[in-house]
Amino acid sequence: MLDKLNRNAFISVGLGFILIWLSEATETHVNYTAKPRVVLPPNYVKEIRPPSKKGSPVIVDFSIFVVDINSINVEDMDFRVDMFIHQRWHESRLEIPDDIFEEGDDYVTLLPEVFENFWQPDPYFLNSKIAEIATLTHKFTSVTLYKNKTVRYAARMHAIIACQMEFQLYPMDIQVCPIHIESFSSNNQKVKLRWSNSGVTLNPELKLLQYNLGQPLQLETSDGYMPEKVGNFSRLTVYFRFERQIGHHLIQTFAPSSLVVMLSWFSFWLGLDAIPGRVTLLVTCMLTLVTMFTGADIPPVAYVKALDLWMAGCMLSVFAALAEFVVVKVLDVQYQYQVNRIPKVLPMRISNMEKGQCATVASWEGGAVRSRKATQTPTTPGQTSLQGNGGPPKPARRQSLLSVAWTDTDTGVEKIMWREIDKVSRAVFPILFFVFVLLYWPILLMKSS
């Protein structure tokens, strides 16, 4: 019985020692993570900024490493940027023992929970719609403490930045989009933001789908007055220059539309005996241009863009070709009407000549017949007056025909108006379109540069 009691007492004492050891180890771990009195003095107040000489503001060095830029949205006028941000400032109130540094190192990485007890600057992205710290199992942040009492804060962030874009020169537009970084609660007399030596750097593997990113980036440091917060606040600005690549639009828009306009010129070589083919060609060209430009990815803005002018020039050229066809068809109808009247007038005049009612001279003039009597009137010498049956001269019956056809005085060949218009259009339409192209591209390139 005594042996059993001794055994139980021994087990109880052993369990007690184990529990005491575990409690001490846990308490030590909790004190290390939750109470960072290792570097903070007892009278440290994190709401008060670090002391500075003669009341000068605390200098916070800021730098950005851009990992990726994507989702440049022309409808919402914003873009998304993934980046690492770094802040560095001097905290003279820290008490840093040497035993927290590993051998050979002059810095130590602190846990995020420890950093929550430090004074921190409060910069924010002034023109951001969304700005968040990236997370997976925890927030991607780190705090590094150096022996010279410099604190370095780093975080992986993604932000959606608003950008006021202009599309007058689309698709050769250049968008300059700034990112404004400003201190939120501390004015420029308390906190001064400045770019570090590295400033803003880009990922060398960064590639954009439709844009070229202009280099080098423009950096600015300024003080901005904020009426909402009533004061001047330190501000950093970086300007991203997005230059749209024209190759996609050359292949998808400009080259096909030019070919469609050239295709419409073939209608000038089709005579009016091929009316269905000519109409089908012109209407198909017009519908192709309308479909091409309505289906293009064009920013929905209210003002006129450079692509709109190109679209208007191409559609106007095809529409003019279609209007030219209507004109020549009307002229051809008038010509055929006048020509078909000649066989009815000719037999009547021949019958009158056979009956001897009048001495006439019948002559053809370009497909028409005119009857006239030659009589000599007492006028000035060398002049002859032609009168019909002794009466005054009568107007020629071919006068209406002369507006749609005439005889060339040099060659004696009959010229028909609608055929001549087609011949002239074969040269005039290409020349006018090439003049439009020669004016369009130099002006667009000059403005975009």
Side-chain angles (χ1 to χ4, degrees), residues 182-331:
E182 185 177 274
S183 177
F184 185 78
S185 59
S186 301
N187 57 30
N188 58 356
Q189 296 180 354
K190 296 181 179 180
V191 174
K192 182 71 173 180
L193 301 178
R194 72 179 182 185
W195 291 111
S196 64
N197 295 331
S198 58
V200 179
T201 55
L202 298 176
N203 183 3
E205 299 180 357
L206 175 61
K207 294 182 179 179
L208 302 181
L209 184 60
Q210 296 186 19
Y211 296 88
N212 292 323
L213 190 57
Q215 295 281 357
L217 302 178
Q218 182 181 356
L219 304 180
E220 288 185 358
T221 302
S222 61
D223 292 329
Y225 177 77
M226 298 296 294
E228 296 83 0
K229 296 183 290 185
V230 189
N232 295 319
F233 293 82
S234 181
R235 180 181 300 177
L236 302 177
T237 305
V238 54
Y239 293 94
F240 292 93
R241 180 183 174 91
F242 300 115
E243 302 175 0
R244 192 182 301 273
Q245 299 175 2
I246 191 63
H248 169 76
H249 294 277
L250 285 177
I251 298 174
Q252 298 293 330
T253 304
F254 290 102
S257 59
S258 300
L259 292 178
V260 171
V261 172
M262 295 178 185
L263 184 63
S264 67
W265 300 339
F266 294 160
S267 64
F268 304 137
W269 274 265
L270 298 178
L272 292 181
D273 54 343
I275 292 178
R278 190 164 179 172
V279 172
T280 302
L281 175 62
L282 293 174
V283 173
T284 302
C285 291
M286 178 63 72
L287 294 178
T288 302
L289 289 177
V290 172
T291 304
M292 183 183 302
F293 290 117
T294 54
D297 186 15
I298 303 176
V301 294
Y303 46 83
V304 177
K305 304 175 290 295
L307 187 61
D308 295 334
L309 296 178
W310 177 264
M311 175 180 66
C314 293
M315 297 184 68
L316 183 60
S317 179
V318 176
F319 179 80
L322 187 59
E324 187 268 351
F325 165 73
V326 174
V327 171
V328 299
K329 180 57 182 174
V330 171
L331 293 176

Side-chain angles (χ1 to χ4, degrees), residues 125-146:
F125 295 99
L126 182 62
N127 58 332
S128 68
K129 297 181 179 180
I130 298 175
E132 297 176 343
I133 297 177
T135 59
L136 185 59
T137 57
H138 60 279
K139 291 184 177 181
F140 293 149
T141 61
S142 68
V143 182
T144 304
L145 181 61
Y146 293 86

Side-chain angles (χ1 to χ4, degrees), residues 323-352:
E324 187 268 351
F325 165 73
V326 174
V327 171
V328 299
K329 180 57 182 174
V330 171
L331 293 176
D332 179 63
V333 170
Q334 293 182 0
Y335 173 75
Q336 296 297 334
Y337 174 74
Q338 295 294 334
V339 170
N340 291 335
R341 288 182 57 197
I342 294 175
K344 299 178 181 179
V345 177
L346 183 59
M348 181 182 66
R349 292 188 173 180
I350 293 176
S351 61
N352 292 335

